PDB file of all heavy atoms in Angstrom:
ATOM      1  N   THR R1295     -10.771 -11.996  11.520  1.00  0.00           N
ATOM      2  CA  THR R1295     -10.888 -13.455  11.539  1.00  0.00           C
ATOM      3  C   THR R1295     -11.210 -13.957  12.941  1.00  0.00           C
ATOM      4  O   THR R1295     -10.785 -13.358  13.930  1.00  0.00           O
ATOM      5  CB  THR R1295      -9.573 -14.118  11.064  1.00  0.00           C
ATOM      6  OG1 THR R1295      -9.713 -15.548  11.091  1.00  0.00           O
ATOM      7  CG2 THR R1295      -8.402 -13.745  11.956  1.00  0.00           C
ATOM      8  N   PRO R1296     -11.945 -15.060  13.048  1.00  0.00           N
ATOM      9  CA  PRO R1296     -12.034 -15.732  14.344  1.00  0.00           C
ATOM     10  C   PRO R1296     -10.728 -16.485  14.593  1.00  0.00           C
ATOM     11  O   PRO R1296      -9.999 -16.794  13.644  1.00  0.00           O
ATOM     12  CB  PRO R1296     -13.202 -16.706  14.159  1.00  0.00           C
ATOM     13  CG  PRO R1296     -13.243 -16.970  12.680  1.00  0.00           C
ATOM     14  CD  PRO R1296     -12.746 -15.724  12.008  1.00  0.00           C
ATOM     15  N   VAL R1297     -10.430 -16.744  15.855  1.00  0.00           N
ATOM     16  CA  VAL R1297      -9.221 -17.492  16.196  1.00  0.00           C
ATOM     17  C   VAL R1297      -9.532 -18.985  16.170  1.00  0.00           C
ATOM     18  O   VAL R1297     -10.458 -19.448  16.836  1.00  0.00           O
ATOM     19  CB  VAL R1297      -8.689 -17.080  17.582  1.00  0.00           C
ATOM     20  CG1 VAL R1297      -7.515 -17.967  17.990  1.00  0.00           C
ATOM     21  CG2 VAL R1297      -8.272 -15.620  17.577  1.00  0.00           C
ATOM     22  N   PHE R1298      -8.752 -19.719  15.376  1.00  0.00           N
ATOM     23  CA  PHE R1298      -8.850 -21.174  15.324  1.00  0.00           C
ATOM     24  C   PHE R1298      -7.471 -21.731  15.637  1.00  0.00           C
ATOM     25  O   PHE R1298      -6.496 -21.384  14.967  1.00  0.00           O
ATOM     26  CB  PHE R1298      -9.269 -21.652  13.929  1.00  0.00           C
ATOM     27  CG  PHE R1298     -10.722 -21.459  13.596  1.00  0.00           C
ATOM     28  CD1 PHE R1298     -11.592 -20.836  14.465  1.00  0.00           C
ATOM     29  CD2 PHE R1298     -11.218 -21.905  12.388  1.00  0.00           C
ATOM     30  CE1 PHE R1298     -12.936 -20.658  14.156  1.00  0.00           C
ATOM     31  CE2 PHE R1298     -12.562 -21.740  12.057  1.00  0.00           C
ATOM     32  CZ  PHE R1298     -13.414 -21.114  12.942  1.00  0.00           C
ATOM     33  N   SER R1299      -7.358 -22.586  16.637  1.00  0.00           N
ATOM     34  CA  SER R1299      -6.079 -23.207  16.997  1.00  0.00           C
ATOM     35  C   SER R1299      -4.970 -22.173  17.155  1.00  0.00           C
ATOM     36  O   SER R1299      -3.880 -22.316  16.617  1.00  0.00           O
ATOM     37  CB  SER R1299      -5.679 -24.250  15.935  1.00  0.00           C
ATOM     38  OG  SER R1299      -6.666 -25.247  15.816  1.00  0.00           O
ATOM     39  N   ALA R1300      -5.278 -21.105  17.873  1.00  0.00           N
ATOM     40  CA  ALA R1300      -4.317 -20.054  18.220  1.00  0.00           C
ATOM     41  C   ALA R1300      -3.804 -19.261  17.023  1.00  0.00           C
ATOM     42  O   ALA R1300      -2.754 -18.639  17.087  1.00  0.00           O
ATOM     43  CB  ALA R1300      -3.142 -20.625  19.005  1.00  0.00           C
ATOM     44  N   SER R1301      -4.560 -19.279  15.905  1.00  0.00           N
ATOM     45  CA  SER R1301      -4.140 -18.514  14.732  1.00  0.00           C
ATOM     46  C   SER R1301      -5.382 -18.089  13.947  1.00  0.00           C
ATOM     47  O   SER R1301      -6.509 -18.283  14.404  1.00  0.00           O
ATOM     48  CB  SER R1301      -3.208 -19.351  13.854  1.00  0.00           C
ATOM     49  OG  SER R1301      -2.668 -18.566  12.805  1.00  0.00           O
ATOM     50  N   TYR R1302      -5.166 -17.503  12.763  1.00  0.00           N
ATOM     51  CA  TYR R1302      -6.294 -17.155  11.907  1.00  0.00           C
ATOM     52  C   TYR R1302      -6.907 -18.429  11.344  1.00  0.00           C
ATOM     53  O   TYR R1302      -6.294 -19.503  11.347  1.00  0.00           O
ATOM     54  CB  TYR R1302      -5.868 -16.230  10.766  1.00  0.00           C
ATOM     55  CG  TYR R1302      -4.509 -16.497  10.186  1.00  0.00           C
ATOM     56  CD1 TYR R1302      -4.232 -17.679   9.504  1.00  0.00           C
ATOM     57  CD2 TYR R1302      -3.481 -15.569  10.324  1.00  0.00           C
ATOM     58  CE1 TYR R1302      -2.984 -17.926   8.970  1.00  0.00           C
ATOM     59  CE2 TYR R1302      -2.223 -15.806   9.795  1.00  0.00           C
ATOM     60  CZ  TYR R1302      -1.974 -16.984   9.118  1.00  0.00           C
ATOM     61  OH  TYR R1302      -0.738 -17.237   8.602  1.00  0.00           O
ATOM     62  N   SER R1303      -8.129 -18.327  10.853  1.00  0.00           N
ATOM     63  CA  SER R1303      -8.801 -19.504  10.314  1.00  0.00           C
ATOM     64  C   SER R1303      -8.195 -19.909   8.979  1.00  0.00           C
ATOM     65  O   SER R1303      -7.599 -19.094   8.268  1.00  0.00           O
ATOM     66  CB  SER R1303     -10.300 -19.227  10.133  1.00  0.00           C
ATOM     67  OG  SER R1303     -10.513 -18.353   9.037  1.00  0.00           O
ATOM     68  N   GLY R1304      -8.371 -21.176   8.621  1.00  0.00           N
ATOM     69  CA  GLY R1304      -7.870 -21.670   7.342  1.00  0.00           C
ATOM     70  C   GLY R1304      -8.542 -20.963   6.175  1.00  0.00           C
ATOM     71  O   GLY R1304      -7.916 -20.693   5.147  1.00  0.00           O
ATOM     72  N   LEU R1305      -9.828 -20.657   6.311  1.00  0.00           N
ATOM     73  CA  LEU R1305     -10.558 -19.961   5.254  1.00  0.00           C
ATOM     74  C   LEU R1305      -9.971 -18.567   5.032  1.00  0.00           C
ATOM     75  O   LEU R1305      -9.790 -18.131   3.887  1.00  0.00           O
ATOM     76  CB  LEU R1305     -12.041 -19.863   5.625  1.00  0.00           C
ATOM     77  CG  LEU R1305     -12.967 -19.194   4.616  1.00  0.00           C
ATOM     78  CD1 LEU R1305     -12.946 -19.930   3.280  1.00  0.00           C
ATOM     79  CD2 LEU R1305     -14.385 -19.116   5.182  1.00  0.00           C
ATOM     80  N   PHE R1306      -9.660 -17.873   6.116  1.00  0.00           N
ATOM     81  CA  PHE R1306      -9.054 -16.536   6.042  1.00  0.00           C
ATOM     82  C   PHE R1306      -7.721 -16.602   5.305  1.00  0.00           C
ATOM     83  O   PHE R1306      -7.461 -15.848   4.362  1.00  0.00           O
ATOM     84  CB  PHE R1306      -8.863 -16.016   7.469  1.00  0.00           C
ATOM     85  CG  PHE R1306      -8.299 -14.630   7.575  1.00  0.00           C
ATOM     86  CD1 PHE R1306      -9.137 -13.518   7.530  1.00  0.00           C
ATOM     87  CD2 PHE R1306      -6.942 -14.429   7.769  1.00  0.00           C
ATOM     88  CE1 PHE R1306      -8.619 -12.236   7.656  1.00  0.00           C
ATOM     89  CE2 PHE R1306      -6.415 -13.152   7.890  1.00  0.00           C
ATOM     90  CZ  PHE R1306      -7.258 -12.057   7.834  1.00  0.00           C
ATOM     91  N   LYS R1307      -6.860 -17.538   5.707  1.00  0.00           N
ATOM     92  CA  LYS R1307      -5.543 -17.666   5.081  1.00  0.00           C
ATOM     93  C   LYS R1307      -5.672 -18.055   3.613  1.00  0.00           C
ATOM     94  O   LYS R1307      -4.943 -17.541   2.748  1.00  0.00           O
ATOM     95  CB  LYS R1307      -4.716 -18.709   5.833  1.00  0.00           C
ATOM     96  CG  LYS R1307      -3.329 -18.976   5.242  1.00  0.00           C
ATOM     97  CD  LYS R1307      -2.450 -17.741   5.269  1.00  0.00           C
ATOM     98  CE  LYS R1307      -0.974 -18.057   5.092  1.00  0.00           C
ATOM     99  NZ  LYS R1307      -0.642 -18.762   3.867  1.00  0.00           N
ATOM    100  N   VAL R1337      -2.688 -13.332  18.908  1.00  0.00           N
ATOM    101  CA  VAL R1337      -2.820 -13.763  17.515  1.00  0.00           C
ATOM    102  C   VAL R1337      -2.600 -12.584  16.565  1.00  0.00           C
ATOM    103  O   VAL R1337      -2.102 -12.750  15.455  1.00  0.00           O
ATOM    104  CB  VAL R1337      -4.203 -14.420  17.271  1.00  0.00           C
ATOM    105  CG1 VAL R1337      -5.329 -13.391  17.346  1.00  0.00           C
ATOM    106  CG2 VAL R1337      -4.232 -15.124  15.925  1.00  0.00           C
ATOM    107  N   HIS R1340       1.333 -12.275  16.465  1.00  0.00           N
ATOM    108  CA  HIS R1340       2.098 -13.466  16.093  1.00  0.00           C
ATOM    109  C   HIS R1340       1.650 -14.122  14.789  1.00  0.00           C
ATOM    110  O   HIS R1340       2.383 -14.931  14.223  1.00  0.00           O
ATOM    111  CB  HIS R1340       2.050 -14.499  17.229  1.00  0.00           C
ATOM    112  CG  HIS R1340       2.818 -14.084  18.438  1.00  0.00           C
ATOM    113  ND1 HIS R1340       4.097 -14.503  18.700  1.00  0.00           N
ATOM    114  CD2 HIS R1340       2.499 -13.234  19.450  1.00  0.00           C
ATOM    115  CE1 HIS R1340       4.526 -13.956  19.830  1.00  0.00           C
ATOM    116  NE2 HIS R1340       3.574 -13.188  20.298  1.00  0.00           N
ATOM    117  N   ALA R1341       0.447 -13.784  14.327  1.00  0.00           N
ATOM    118  CA  ALA R1341      -0.054 -14.398  13.093  1.00  0.00           C
ATOM    119  C   ALA R1341      -0.492 -13.361  12.062  1.00  0.00           C
ATOM    120  O   ALA R1341      -0.002 -13.355  10.936  1.00  0.00           O
ATOM    121  CB  ALA R1341      -1.215 -15.346  13.413  1.00  0.00           C
ATOM    122  N   LEU R1342      -1.416 -12.471  12.439  1.00  0.00           N
ATOM    123  CA  LEU R1342      -1.965 -11.531  11.463  1.00  0.00           C
ATOM    124  C   LEU R1342      -0.959 -10.483  10.993  1.00  0.00           C
ATOM    125  O   LEU R1342      -0.803 -10.252   9.788  1.00  0.00           O
ATOM    126  CB  LEU R1342      -3.204 -10.841  12.040  1.00  0.00           C
ATOM    127  CG  LEU R1342      -4.451 -11.715  12.104  1.00  0.00           C
ATOM    128  CD1 LEU R1342      -5.502 -11.094  13.003  1.00  0.00           C
ATOM    129  CD2 LEU R1342      -5.024 -11.940  10.730  1.00  0.00           C
ATOM    130  N   LEU R1345       1.623 -11.892   8.585  1.00  0.00           N
ATOM    131  CA  LEU R1345       1.019 -12.215   7.291  1.00  0.00           C
ATOM    132  C   LEU R1345       0.933 -10.977   6.409  1.00  0.00           C
ATOM    133  O   LEU R1345       1.363 -10.995   5.248  1.00  0.00           O
ATOM    134  CB  LEU R1345      -0.377 -12.808   7.489  1.00  0.00           C
ATOM    135  CG  LEU R1345      -1.230 -12.977   6.216  1.00  0.00           C
ATOM    136  CD1 LEU R1345      -0.590 -13.973   5.263  1.00  0.00           C
ATOM    137  CD2 LEU R1345      -2.652 -13.402   6.579  1.00  0.00           C
TER     138      LEU R1345
END
Side-chain angles (χ1 to χ4, degrees):
T1295 180
V1297 174
F1298 284 3
S1299 301
S1301 187
Y1302 36 66
S1303 72
L1305 182 60
F1306 182 86
K1307 178 62 163 58
V1337 69
H1340 290 263
L1342 286 165
L1345 170 64

